[in-house]
Amino acid sequence: MEKQPFLGAHQAGILTPQQASMMLVAFDVLATDKADLERLFRLLTQRITFLTSGGPAPDTPNPRLPPMDSGILGPYIAPDNLTVTVSVGHSLFDTRFGLQAQMPKKLQKMERFPNDSLDAALCHGDLLIQICANTQDTVIHTLRDLIKHTPDLLSVRWKREGFISDHAARSKGKETPVNLLGFKDGTANPDSSDNALMNEVVWVTGEQGEPTWAIGGSYQAVRIIQFHVEFWDRTPLKEQQTIFGRDKHTGAPLGMQKEHDVPDYTNDPGGDVIALDSHIRLANPRTKETQSSLMMRRGYSYSLGVTNSGQLDMGLLFVCYQHDLEKGFLTVQKRLNGEALEEYIRPIGGGYFFVLPGVQDANHYLAQSLL
Ligand code: HEM
């Protein structure tokens, strides 16, 4: 029975090898004062503790009342590798709860980039919950459970479901998932088993001058990015590879053999092998100055229906984590503005959030240090 620990210095679902199914759900918080906000975080902690550990579904002693559990998973709720990661948006720090002074220093509202076509109904939120598990049933069961227990405290703002191939999920991080443009996505992520590196790249530590409650947390950038897959599928292979700077099948940087080979751009200053405007070269120019813009990406594919113009509605739920939103996501996205890939993609939603520090032990609850 696969179980991910919920307790710890950091929340699960960030360095956890990617499970097959994920969901992002943004909420507006209906609580109107700090006491209710505390009730919300205590409740979330209690539900997540139960759902990630698993156990018999609660009985419904009185059939005149609604069942205690949706029943989707039957009488026993298996942990199914579930992680539930809770983060807070910029708007939670407005005047409602008196938390203005506690806001993480770099947290801000997502603004439009030049290639964006943002849909207001798919942006922002007071709270974001990322749910990941081996199966979609577990993800949906978790969402229904959380909503059932918080009717007066949370209202869903937007939601998207994502997946990676079972094959990549079963490999527990050894195989890189392939995105819906057909390229391996996640290859050049920093090594999640290197704690010192994770403290440098992902986690807020005492070093950044952030409020002390935020230590152990991380900035999360979410972008819902639609792909023009019909157009992409009519693009020559050579051009697709030039756009990313990698071989489509092996995932190796162009001119190299293996997926994890590391390009040396000092040998290719004019971009003859890996184009200067290729995605990987703009995203990470691998110079000393750009070392600080590293991030941990944990994206998932999505596939919905058909757009109003008759195109397949599919793309990427891009999610990345970093200790500093400006040095990480914002710097990288600014470098990517105008990249060759832009013709094939359309960012339509998302937002910036701050992942709460982990819950240390069973006597504590999420956001306790903030409140
Ligand atoms: C690398 C796809 C958006 C940051 C890559 C790679 C692919 C890819 C295939 C190469 C393999 C790898 O190292 O993972 C995409 C697609 C996107 C997208 C299809 C959306 C349309 C973004 C965004 C950012 C970003 C929005 C950040 C602002 C990076 C970084 C790398 C990377 C940092 C690693 C580069 C390296 O270290 O060599 N992406 N990406 N990507 N991408 Fe993206």
Side-chain angles (χ1 to χ4, degrees):
M1 196 157 44
E2 283 182 296
K3 212 183 267 196
Q4 291 295 330
F6 170 60
L7 299 176
H10 311 294
Q11 286 195 68
I14 298 173
L15 303 187
T16 311
Q18 286 186 259
Q19 303 96 317
S21 285
M22 77 85 95
M23 187 189 279
L24 295 171
V25 204
F27 295 92
D28 293 322
V29 168
L30 303 177
T32 47
D33 58 27
K34 219 167 169 177
D36 265 357
L37 195 61
E38 180 184 324
R39 184 161 62 87
L40 167 63
F41 285 115
R42 282 183 184 274
L43 254 170
L44 287 175
T45 307
Q46 202 185 73
R47 295 320 301 158
I48 298 170
T49 302
F50 169 68
L51 294 164
T52 53
S53 334
D59 288 335
T60 305
N62 181 354
R64 287 170 195 274
L65 294 177
M68 298 293 285
D69 184 77
S70 63
I72 296 174
L73 300 180
Y76 188 83
I77 295 158
D80 202 25
N81 219 3
L82 173 69
T83 55
V84 182
T85 315
V86 181
S87 50
V88 292
H90 173 260
S91 52
L92 195 82
F93 297 90
D94 61 16
T95 52
R96 281 173 292 169
F97 309 107
L99 296 173
Q100 299 96 309
Q102 259 87 289
M103 190 168 80
K105 286 196 321 190
K106 304 294 173 72
L107 194 58
Q108 53 199 274
K109 192 170 173 188
M110 183 178 75
E111 301 288 347
R112 187 182 165 276
F113 290 97
N115 192 43
D116 288 1
S117 314
L118 299 179
D119 174 350
L122 289 175
C123 291
H124 319 304
D126 292 331
L127 203 77
L128 186 86
I129 302 190
Q130 174 193 270
I131 309 171
C132 300
N134 288 343
T135 59
Q136 199 182 18
D137 304 10
T138 300
V139 170
I140 291 173
H141 175 264
T142 303
L143 173 71
R144 295 263 295 269
D145 186 282
L146 297 179
I147 288 179
K148 181 178 167 67
H149 285 87
T150 53
D152 59 331
L153 295 170
L154 288 180
S155 149
V156 176
R157 185 180 171 93
W158 57 265
K159 151 180 163 305
R160 283 271 154 146
E161 283 172 72
F163 60 91
I164 58 167
S165 72
D166 274 350
H167 174 64
R170 271 199 301 269
S171 80
K172 301 274 169 276
K174 291 195 182 66
E175 296 272 334
T176 311
V178 174
N179 65 30
L180 291 176
L181 298 181
F183 279 77
K184 291 183 199 288
D185 197 339
T187 303
N189 259 341
D191 177 3
S192 61
S193 66
D194 181 339
N195 289 340
L197 186 62
M198 292 302 100
N199 279 333
E200 224 174 87
V201 173
V202 176
W203 306 122
V204 166
T205 59
E207 304 285 299
Q208 295 91 12
E210 292 283 0
T212 32
W213 76 263
I215 293 174
S218 184
Y219 286 93
Q220 178 189 44
V222 172
R223 303 270 288 164
I224 305 174
I225 304 176
Q226 205 172 52
F227 294 161
H228 303 311
V229 288
E230 292 90 346
F231 179 28
W232 181 253
D233 289 342
R234 292 194 304 268
T235 301
L237 175 62
K238 189 161 186 291
E239 199 171 323
Q240 293 187 358
Q241 297 188 148
T242 304
I243 286 171
F244 279 110
R246 286 187 179 266
D247 182 276
K248 193 165 182 178
H249 301 297
T250 62
L254 293 179
M256 305 188 90
Q257 300 303 314
K258 299 205 196 75
E259 183 190 350
H260 292 283
D261 286 349
V262 177
D264 179 356
Y265 298 131
T266 56
N267 294 331
D268 179 26
D272 298 328
V273 183
I274 298 185
L276 298 178
D277 69 345
S278 66
H279 185 71
I280 62 165
R281 195 153 177 177
L282 287 175
N284 183 4
R286 295 182 185 270
T287 59
K288 209 162 163 245
E289 300 75 50
T290 55
Q291 168 77 12
S292 63
S293 59
L294 291 181
M295 57 173 71
M296 179 63 79
R297 289 167 292 132
R298 202 173 185 280
Y300 279 82
S301 298
Y302 76 85
S303 174
L304 291 168
V306 180
T307 65
N308 288 341
S309 49
Q311 313 261 299
L312 295 175
D313 185 0
M314 44 180 76
L316 176 70
L317 303 177
F318 175 92
V319 181
C320 73
Y321 297 95
Q322 55 261 288
H323 74 271
D324 182 321
L325 183 69
E326 284 169 8
K327 287 188 181 152
F329 177 80
L330 288 167
T331 302
V332 175
Q333 183 55 57
K334 279 177 200 149
R335 281 203 302 261
L336 289 175
N337 285 344
E339 67 172 327
L341 182 62
E342 278 190 350
E343 268 196 88
Y344 300 89
I345 63 172
R346 204 165 73 104
I348 54 174
Y352 305 146
F353 301 89
F354 188 81
V355 181
L356 298 169
V359 178
Q360 297 280 2
D361 56 52
N363 299 320
H364 288 82
Y365 61 91
L366 282 162
Q368 190 165 357
S369 56
L370 166 64
L371 302 176

